[in-house]
Amino acid sequence: QVQLVESGGGLVQHGEYLTLSCAASGFTLDYYSVGWFRLAPGKEREGVSGISSRGGSTFYTDSVKGRFTISRANAKNTVYLQMNNLKPEDTAIYYCAAAIVTTTPVGWSDFVNYDYWGQGTQVTVSS
């Protein structure tokens, strides 16, 4: 059974950090690009960060550049999102997704390019 499972969300204060994990099962994540998306109340789904299948290319939305870092451990079939200096506006449900297509600087944030999605993990940042 193909599955992506996110973990690591929680409630933190402004300025603190969290590390999200996205673990794949039922398929080999090595061949897939991975993206992190978030959905906040009253807002549209937003691409947060993306990483190519080999990890050579990474992408970030402007609001998280310098604070978030995406990485992958293909041996563990897992992708991570390190989130530092969290802000209340980062509050959202965070989803990871896997795409068999090659990521591009434009396409990584388009959710229609992704084949598999996790169920999401809640991140809440208090002020």
Side-chain angles (χ1 to χ4, degrees), residues 58-80:
T58 57
F59 310 98
Y60 300 93
T61 192
D62 286 347
S63 63
V64 308
K65 285 180 180 177
R67 299 188 298 123
F68 290 12
T69 303
I70 191 170
S71 62
R72 64 191 304 155
N74 284 345
K76 296 183 178 181
N77 231 23
T78 301
V79 170
Y80 304 97

Side-chain angles (χ1 to χ4, degrees), residues 1-2 4-5 15 21 31 56 65 67 85-86 94 107 117-118 121:
Q1 181 182 3
V2 170
L4 288 173
V5 178
S21 298
Y31 304 120
K65 285 180 180 177
R67 299 188 298 123
N85 189 21
L86 282 162
Y94 283 72
W117 289 81
T121 185

